Amino acid sequence: MKISNDYLYNNVANTNAANVANAAAASRLASEKDGSADSAAVSAAAPNTDRVEFSADTKVTTKMSDADRAALVESLKSDMDNQMSRFTNMMMQTFNKQGITGLTAGSDAFWRQIASGNFTVDAKTKAEAQQAISEDGYWGVKQTSQRIFDMAKAIAGDDTAMMKKMQDAVEKGFDQATAAWGKSLPSISHDTHDAVNAMFDDYYKNAGVEK
């Protein structure tokens, strides 16, 4: 099975865009008014249900076969898709309850509806969003930036030239997320962008190559 650079590039770009858009949306929800004085207490007690870990035991190098690399990419995408589906389903239910129809989950119109703030959320939804973008939350800067970098590194392995192409794909993903959002992304997205680039800088430094 031959796996092309375009396939790898687009997978990183598209998956990264989904990561960024979901983190931006969670940040938007966390700031929404819910009309509840108890939202902070709910947030403190909310369990961390938005968490998917990549296996720390996975060892990826350029010696992987094309078939194995393709399978790994699909596995990483599946983890992301599961979390994205959970989030978008919750938001579609919220929109439908408020008479906001005609949207397709994950479309530009869907993200722009969230970006507009023209909807309300209940205390539980807001609390979950606050937890999700917290320091250790699934959509927080730390986990989101690590997830983006991990996928790029999993694909590139020991190939520094490929890693530079993966960084280009990451940049494309941020551009795609911004376009879907329809305006400047929230600060959490910019912080995530900086964190990912810092990881790439460390990678190049440790590999002894120039950016």
Side-chain angles (χ1 to χ4, degrees):
M1 175 182 178
K2 182 65 176 176
I3 181 168
S4 69
N5 285 348
D6 285 344
Y7 172 83
L8 297 172
Y9 183 96
N10 289 326
N11 266 286
V12 170
N14 294 337
T15 303
N16 175 49
N19 268 284
V20 176
N22 274 277
S27 178
R28 186 73 178 85
L29 263 63
S31 66
E32 279 296 304
K33 294 181 179 179
D34 57 42
S36 170
D38 298 325
S39 61
V42 174
S43 178
N48 185 0
T49 56
D50 270 330
R51 192 178 183 90
V52 174
E53 298 283 1
F54 291 140
S55 173
D57 297 328
T58 301
K59 304 299 182 184
V60 184
T61 72
T62 52
K63 298 178 180 64
M64 293 179 70
S65 69
D66 285 343
D68 287 344
R69 194 173 297 282
L72 176 63
V73 171
E74 289 306 315
S75 177
L76 296 177
K77 283 183 82 275
S78 178
D79 281 342
M80 177 63 217
D81 289 344
N82 286 339
Q83 291 298 322
M84 186 171 183
S85 293
R86 181 181 183 277
F87 183 86
T88 54
N89 287 342
M90 176 186 71
M91 286 311 303
M92 288 299 289
Q93 291 174 16
T94 297
F95 291 155
N96 289 337
K97 288 177 183 177
Q98 295 171 32
I100 303 171
T101 59
L103 300 178
T104 301
S107 65
D108 284 2
F110 172 85
W111 298 120
R112 290 177 186 181
Q113 179 64 45
I114 296 175
S116 73
N118 294 328
F119 61 93
T120 57
V121 296
D122 57 35
K124 182 176 182 294
T125 298
K126 179 175 179 177
E128 289 181 355
Q130 288 173 332
Q131 191 286 322
I133 64 168
S134 66
E135 182 178 0
D136 294 318
Y138 186 84
W139 299 114
V141 173
K142 184 189 301 183
Q143 282 203 50
T144 303
S145 60
Q146 189 66 58
R147 192 161 55 247
I148 292 169
F149 181 80
D150 283 350
M151 185 171 188
K153 181 64 171 66
I155 292 172
D158 302 324
D159 188 338
T160 55
M162 176 63 80
M163 196 62 165
K164 291 182 179 181
K165 292 179 180 179
M166 293 301 98
Q167 188 173 19
D168 289 341
V170 168
E171 292 300 315
K172 180 180 178 182
F174 274 92
D175 290 342
Q176 289 175 342
T178 301
W181 197 246
K183 58 182 179 180
S184 180
L185 292 163
S187 61
I188 191 173
S189 300
H190 297 291
D191 291 343
T192 299
H193 195 179
D194 290 342
V196 175
N197 281 330
M199 291 179 188
F200 275 103
D201 288 345
D202 287 344
Y203 169 86
Y204 298 134
K205 181 179 179 180
N206 292 332
V209 298
E210 294 185 3
K211 292 171 54 179

